[in-house]
């Protein structure tokens, strides 16, 4: 996880344009527009110059000499003050958290520094709903759980279709393993017989994938919400988790995640290829280790999603098993 660190600016062509330090070192950037702003962006905070919205300004981003020093600034029009007269020049400067509501009130498009990426059109409403839940329950951890429950409820029917397909594929696993042993290295014959089996049993091997792919943008957008939300910084959840923006100090959530991932694998159809099966068996361990350093809020998000998925998939699998037994 590497949140963006660098410069950002609004131009006539783009409401929000980012520059890494490498970009600025490669070539100086200049643009002129009315109003506007230029900002230094970090994970949860920004510092930004915001000149008067009615003034014309030239913005520049450049590296100073051979040192790692960078100048992000603007110059306004020339103002002459006659001898004996007075003049005034002013601009606003903001340094603080990336609070969407506050940034919106300061200058147009400054709230885009809360960078949700290309899924901003999904992330923004998700954040609004999560904040609404937080206002009701008063806990950001519970707000994350509440939003996941809401998302799973919306996609309940779609998920059910996917889990039904997976349950049917799981029942075919013994037959597929037998066919693989029968045809050995004859991959073409095995593929032909496998497709015949799918057709006979009326099973679509891709039926479990499509519903999950449709849901993926929503969960990815929620991931960006959790990564960018300064509200989670120093936000407690329960007991030992006193900050949802940093790792679980006792690694309880990552371990729970690994256990839930293992259970999910048991409910899914097992690969017929032994090597692929061994790799799949290793994944819960790999992801658990990887999630040890993830912010607790993100791991909570995945744990909640897995638990709800396991519950729904277990019920559907049991229903299909019972239906076949009663025939």
């Amino acid at each position: 996880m590497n949140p963006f660190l660098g410069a950002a600016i609004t131009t006539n062509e783009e409401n929000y344009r980012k520059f890494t330090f490498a970009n600025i070192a490669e070539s100086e950037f200049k643009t002129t527009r009315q109003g506007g702003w230029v900002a230094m962006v970090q994970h949860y905070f920004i510092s930004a110059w915001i000149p008067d919205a009615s003034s014309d300004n030239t913005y520049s981003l450049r590296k100073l000499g051979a040192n790692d020093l960078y100048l992000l600034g603007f110059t306004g029009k020339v103002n002459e003050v006659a001898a004996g007269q007075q003049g005034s020049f002013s601009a606003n400067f903001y340094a603080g958290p990336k609070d969407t509501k506050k940034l919106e009130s300061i200058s147009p498009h400054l709230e885009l520094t809360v960078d949700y990426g290309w899924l901003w059109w999904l992330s923004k409403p998700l954040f609004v709903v999560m904040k609404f839940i937080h206002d009701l329950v008063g806990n950001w951890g519970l707000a994350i759980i509440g939003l996941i429950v809401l998302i799973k409820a919306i996609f309940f029917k779609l998920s059910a279709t996917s889990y039904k397909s997976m349950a049917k594929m799981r029942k075919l696993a013994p037959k597929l393993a037998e066919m693989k042993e029968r045809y050995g290295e004859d991959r073409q014959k095995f593929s032909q017989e496998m497709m015949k089996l799918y057709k006979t049993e009326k099973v679509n091997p891709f039926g479990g994938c499509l519903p999950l792919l449709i849901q993926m943008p929503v969960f990815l957008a929620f991931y960006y919400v959790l990564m960018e939300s300064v509200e989670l910084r120093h936000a407690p959840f329960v007991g030992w988790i006193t900050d949802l923006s940093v790792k679980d100090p006792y690694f309880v959530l990552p371990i729970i995640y690994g256990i839930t991932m293992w259970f999910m694998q048991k409910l899914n159809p097992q690969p017929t290829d032994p090597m692929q099966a061994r790799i799949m068996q290793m994944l819960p361990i790999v992801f658990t280790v990887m999630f040890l350093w993830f912010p607790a809020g993100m791991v909570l998000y995945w744990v909640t999603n897995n638990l709800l998925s396991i519950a729904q998939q277990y019920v559907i699998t049991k229903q299909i098993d019972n239906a076949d037994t009663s025939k």
Side-chain angles (χ1 to χ4, degrees):
M1 293 178 56
N2 294 302
F4 176 72
L5 174 65
I9 196 170
T10 181
T11 69
N12 293 320
E13 294 76 27
E14 298 177 75
N15 293 333
Y16 175 61
R17 184 171 178 182
K18 297 186 295 185
F19 294 84
T20 64
F21 293 126
N23 296 147
I24 300 172
E26 187 177 334
S27 62
E28 179 182 352
F29 175 80
K30 275 192 175 183
T31 187
T32 301
R33 67 162 293 164
Q34 186 179 51
W37 50 264
V38 60
M40 171 67 181
V41 181
Q42 301 178 53
H43 187 186
Y44 291 128
F45 300 91
I46 67 164
S47 55
W49 277 108
I50 308 103
D52 184 84
S54 61
S55 63
D56 292 323
N57 305 282
T58 298
Y59 294 88
S60 63
L61 314 174
R62 61 190 175 92
K63 185 178 181 182
L64 299 178
N67 297 321
D68 287 332
L69 297 175
Y70 297 83
L71 179 65
L72 323 174
F74 72 95
T75 54
K77 66 178 182 179
V78 175
N79 286 276
E80 295 184 357
V81 181
Q85 301 297 312
Q86 293 183 351
S88 64
F89 310 89
S90 66
N92 292 319
F93 180 74
Y94 175 83
K98 292 196 286 188
D99 183 310
T100 305
K101 194 171 182 180
K102 184 179 290 185
L103 297 178
E104 284 176 348
S105 67
I106 294 173
S107 182
H109 315 306
L110 188 58
E111 78 281 358
L112 296 178
T113 54
V114 182
D115 190 358
Y116 294 135
W118 65 278
L119 287 170
W120 60 268
W121 50 279
L122 274 174
S123 295
K124 278 191 171 184
L126 286 174
F127 174 76
V128 170
V129 176
M130 186 173 74
K131 192 173 186 308
F132 174 77
I133 297 173
H134 170 264
D135 292 341
L136 293 177
V137 300
N139 183 293
W140 283 106
L142 294 178
I144 292 171
I145 294 173
L147 184 52
I148 287 291
V149 170
L150 183 60
I151 292 172
K152 294 294 286 185
I154 292 172
F155 287 111
F156 184 84
K157 289 288 186 183
L158 199 59
S159 298
T161 302
S162 174
Y163 296 146
K164 285 176 183 176
S165 178
M166 288 182 184
K168 291 178 180 177
M169 286 290 295
R170 185 167 173 265
K171 288 186 69 64
L172 293 182
K175 292 183 180 179
L176 290 172
E178 183 186 338
M179 287 169 53
K180 186 171 182 62
E181 186 177 345
R182 185 188 310 165
Y183 297 110
E185 297 299 319
D186 191 345
R187 292 181 176 272
Q188 184 176 356
K189 183 64 176 177
F190 172 70
S191 297
Q192 290 174 349
E193 293 300 318
M194 181 172 62
M195 294 310 295
K196 284 181 183 178
L197 179 63
Y198 289 154
K199 189 174 181 180
T200 303
E201 299 291 337
K202 297 179 181 179
V203 173
N204 180 359
F206 303 107
C209 301
L210 185 59
L212 294 178
L213 289 175
I214 294 173
Q215 297 175 60
M216 190 56 67
V218 177
F219 287 101
L220 185 58
F222 192 25
Y223 172 88
Y224 281 114
V225 168
L226 296 177
M227 188 172 73
E228 281 289 300
S229 297
V230 68
E231 288 81 2
L232 299 185
R233 187 172 180 265
H234 300 322
F237 175 42
V238 291
W240 73 99
I241 300 178
T242 57
D243 188 346
L244 286 166
S245 69
V246 299
K247 67 180 182 180
D248 181 334
Y250 300 111
F251 309 118
V252 175
L253 286 176
I255 292 172
I256 294 174
Y257 171 82
I259 294 170
T260 59
M261 190 174 183
W262 181 82
F263 270 106
M264 288 182 71
Q265 283 191 351
K266 293 301 178 182
L267 291 172
N268 291 334
Q270 301 303 305
T272 54
D273 181 66
M275 179 62 72
Q276 188 179 358
R278 283 194 293 271
I279 292 173
M280 293 298 291
Q281 289 169 2
M282 290 295 296
L283 284 182
I285 299 173
V286 172
F287 274 88
T288 298
V289 173
M290 186 175 70
F291 275 23
L292 292 177
W293 290 273
F294 266 52
M298 289 191 180
V299 186
L300 175 63
Y301 148 63
W302 282 112
V303 167
T304 306
N305 182 62
N306 281 6
L307 287 172
L308 293 173
S309 298
I310 288 171
Q312 186 180 7
Q313 191 170 358
Y314 178 80
V315 170
I316 289 173
T317 302
K318 279 294 182 183
Q319 288 175 344
I320 291 176
D321 290 344
N322 292 338
D324 290 343
T325 304
S326 62
K327 286 182 180 178

